[in-house]
Amino acid sequence: MNPPAALLPALRAIVGDAHVLTEGDLTGYELDWRKRERGKSLAVVRPTSTAQVAQVVQACAAAGVSIVPQGGNTGMVVGSTPDASGTQLVLSLTRMNAVRALDGGNLTITVEAGCVLQSLQEVCEKAGFLFPLSLASEGSCTIGGNLGTNAGGTQVVRYGNTRELCLGLEVVTAQGEVWSGLTGLRKDNTGYDLRHLFIGSEGTLGVITAATMKLYPLPKSQLTAFAAVPSLEAAVQLLGLAHQTLSAGLTGFEVMGQFALKLVVKHFPQQRVPFYESSPYCVVLENSDNESDEHARSQFERLLEAAMEAGCVSDAVVAESMAQARALWHIRESIPLAQAQEGLNIKHDISIAVSRIPEFVAKADAALAQAFPGIRLVNYGHLGDGNLHYNVQAPDGQDAEKFLREQEGPVNAVVYALVDAYNGSISAEHGIGSLKREKLEKHKSPVALGLMRSIKTALDPHNMFNPGRMLAARNH
Ligand code: FAD
Ligand code: 2HG
Ligand code: ZN
């Protein structure tokens, strides 16, 4: 095995001196977005081609150095930054951002892993197509990271998670080989579907270097409404009505609790947030229509009238222009940023059958309020997918760092016990990373964990990719 000392010159020879970073401010690569953990890398390496990635992996394998694949470093679970040992290499894919092909006839686009999601959306729109994945982090997250985490976002109710949007992958394996699976085929039952092993594997099985993704025709009309609802039960009832009335036109359905909206008003006072003062929850919903604006608007109005009659909407506004629609979505998308401004927080990215969410929240709210007086609940998320961000902010005036240090475990225990009782998931869309690794061990069945470890061992026998993330390093 080559000593790591010989590794850096080898890496410089592969990607060029300027793209092996060992000095200067590496915060953007070493500190996670939530500022939960600061790591220290052996180096940050920035390849520009699949061949370079393969050579970097081979060099690291020979030196026994582990690799943390990284895209935009917007992940929520401390999975894309190195640990504190100074021995792990950050492999940043952001220079690999080319669009390799757009096949309008096949409704597919093939793009390199480091392409920023928003750039991908823009390229597609310019060519007359929709790439529907949409997250508030889209200005900096990458398609490789989206695939690595199987990201969800705000259009899942209609288009599915990133997994559903992917038709093929190109991956560099732990042996430094390139698996070229960029077929663009919608049907291919030739054995195990390897693509699905790598999607959602959080950089623990291989480095995704490119992907072929599905495109959709651009809808003729996209309308957004913002509604006040008297309760979470009412929000679920509205969702049912929206499915019935809009059918496949329902492309977004997000819920926002009053305190979440108060944080937006507090930290972004320039934003105008309707209805929040008088309503426990608000909902933002979107109708995409392939006929016309008029058709979409009349459908939407029919829905909202029916909802008001049924008592599940108390007030509503439908955006009159794209600018207004963007402003309404911006309110929703600002919640994680407002929470970050408010201070360190505990996140619960949970999913539960939609029909059981109101009951779950009532129980969780009561249990937390009793056990942790003054606790502030920031409850919002992708209700259309049964996915809540049931987050927790320290009581007003308390030191957030101290609160997390002392109470994160007990708070999690209350929430996750209820999630288990409701047959839910402790990670709906953000993944496991290192923050939830121990929770995974507790909440996943031994059989499932055993199968996961077998897959890890088969694909990455020397535990080179993202060790200690998702699965404990010692167990495979
Ligand atoms: P990174 O953070 O760099 O990496 C994430 C994981 O993927 C790591 O484990 C990493 O090792 C792995 N990885 C990265 N690139 C590759 C690659 N090329 N090959 C293999 N593995 C790789 N997430 C949602 O699901 N829905 C949301 O609505 C959402 N909203 C967000 C809003 C904000 C404001 C922020 C800050 C984050 C949000 N996220 C959301 C979380 C985050 O943006 C997503 O997880 C996103 O998919 C991460 O992409 P990234 O490029 O930043 O990946
Ligand atoms: C969102 O939906 C993201 O806004 C972030 O998934 C969620 O900050 C969070 O908890
Ligand atoms: Zn989310």
Side-chain angles (χ1 to χ4, degrees):
M1 193 173 288
N2 301 325
L7 178 64
L8 293 182
L11 295 173
R12 288 193 183 104
I14 298 166
V15 298
D17 286 358
H19 299 294
V20 178
L21 315 179
T22 52
E23 284 165 2
D25 184 7
L26 298 179
T27 307
Y29 301 99
E30 294 179 339
L31 176 66
D32 75 293
W33 189 86
R34 292 176 60 192
K35 301 191 171 53
R36 294 295 307 255
E37 279 174 32
R38 170 89 208 213
K40 171 88 192 83
S41 63
L42 175 68
V44 177
V45 176
R46 305 172 72 233
T48 191
S49 69
T50 303
Q52 287 185 0
V53 174
Q55 288 173 46
V56 168
V57 170
Q58 286 161 17
C60 287
V65 165
S66 58
I67 291 177
V68 181
Q70 189 182 86
N73 194 18
T74 65
M76 289 283 178
V77 288
V78 193
S80 49
T81 45
D83 66 19
S85 65
T87 62
Q88 300 187 325
L89 195 92
V90 171
L91 185 66
S92 167
L93 277 295
T94 52
R95 289 177 72 227
M96 284 189 66
N97 57 11
V99 172
R100 291 194 188 163
L102 193 158
D103 183 345
N106 197 42
L107 284 172
T108 51
I109 186 162
T110 298
V111 64
E112 289 181 348
C115 184
V116 168
L117 175 56
Q118 193 175 329
S119 313
L120 177 56
Q121 293 165 344
E122 284 167 5
V123 168
C124 297
E125 193 176 339
K126 251 193 206 145
F129 297 100
L130 172 75
F131 181 64
L133 186 65
S134 177
L135 327 178
S137 54
E138 63 202 20
S140 34
C141 68
T142 62
I143 193 69
N146 302 148
L147 286 157
T149 57
N150 185 28
T154 55
Q155 301 272 298
V156 174
V157 68
R158 164 72 178 85
Y159 299 101
N161 296 299
T162 309
R163 183 184 299 287
E164 279 82 42
L165 298 172
C166 178
L167 291 173
L169 289 180
E170 178 186 87
V171 175
V172 173
T173 69
Q175 293 70 36
E177 292 172 331
V178 179
W179 170 53
S180 298
L182 298 170
T183 63
L185 299 176
R186 282 174 167 76
K187 299 183 96 168
D188 179 13
N189 284 347
T190 52
Y192 303 134
D193 198 329
L194 300 175
R195 152 190 59 158
H196 288 307
L197 282 182
F198 292 105
I199 298 172
S201 67
E202 300 182 40
T204 64
L205 298 181
V207 183
I208 297 169
T209 47
T212 299
M213 307 300 292
K214 283 186 199 169
L215 298 177
Y216 290 82
L218 271 176
K220 289 227 168 62
S221 165
Q222 262 178 319
L223 286 188
T224 300
F226 196 99
V229 294
S231 63
L232 210 43
E233 284 84 351
V236 171
Q237 200 187 342
L238 174 62
L239 174 64
L241 285 176
H243 276 306
Q244 273 171 21
T245 315
L246 309 178
S247 188
L250 179 65
T251 45
F253 195 101
E254 300 282 313
V255 74
M256 297 153 289
Q258 188 177 45
F259 183 63
L261 292 174
K262 279 188 176 164
L263 284 183
V264 173
V265 173
K266 175 175 172 189
H267 293 287
F268 306 107
Q270 70 283 11
Q271 291 198 37
R272 288 194 48 244
V273 181
F275 315 135
Y276 77 99
E277 277 161 310
S278 53
S279 200
Y281 288 95
C282 288
V283 167
V284 63
L285 57 165
E286 186 183 77
N287 180 18
S288 300
D289 186 272
N290 282 330
E291 278 192 35
S292 63
D293 257 353
E294 295 70 39
H295 183 257
R297 195 168 288 279
S298 74
Q299 263 190 331
F300 231 174
E301 281 166 3
R302 199 151 51 83
L303 165 66
L304 292 171
E305 271 166 31
M308 282 193 181
E309 239 168 64
C312 59
V313 163
S314 48
D315 224 331
V317 56
V318 180
E320 292 292 335
S321 62
M322 279 307 285
Q324 269 184 22
R326 253 185 250 118
L328 293 174
W329 274 105
H330 192 49
I331 296 168
R332 157 64 185 92
E333 286 163 357
S334 300
I335 298 174
L337 306 166
Q339 259 211 285
Q341 299 267 320
E342 185 70 6
L344 284 178
N345 51 70
I346 306 172
K347 291 191 189 296
H348 302 113
D349 164 38
I350 56 179
S351 66
I352 289 179
V354 173
S355 52
R356 305 192 75 191
I357 279 184
E359 192 184 308
F360 166 86
V361 169
K363 286 205 176 139
D365 282 3
L368 290 176
Q370 196 190 5
F372 309 95
I375 200 167
R376 297 179 296 162
L377 298 174
V378 185
N379 184 12
Y380 67 104
H382 317 290
L383 188 64
D385 320 324
N387 175 192
L388 287 183
H389 298 305
Y390 188 76
N391 296 345
V392 166
Q393 212 83 37
D396 214 1
Q398 274 196 26
D399 176 350
E401 211 171 315
K402 182 167 180 282
F403 180 78
L404 260 65
R405 208 171 39 245
E406 291 170 0
Q407 305 295 3
E408 183 165 17
V411 167
N412 286 341
V414 170
V415 174
Y416 292 140
L418 271 169
V419 169
D420 279 349
Y422 281 78
N423 282 324
S425 167
I426 61 158
S427 179
E429 59 172 8
H430 294 162
I432 299 300
S434 49
L435 267 192
K436 291 191 181 170
R437 190 187 62 207
E438 272 137 37
K439 291 167 199 84
L440 187 76
E441 304 251 337
K442 251 184 92 186
H443 295 271
K444 198 114 182 150
S445 80
V447 175
L449 283 169
L451 290 170
M452 283 173 65
R453 285 187 194 114
S454 304
I455 292 168
K456 172 73 175 170
T457 307
L459 268 64
D460 181 17
H462 302 298
N463 201 14
M464 184 173 57
F465 290 134
N466 233 352
R469 304 307 161 80
M470 189 185 292
L471 293 168
R474 65 181 187 285
N475 285 324
H476 37 79

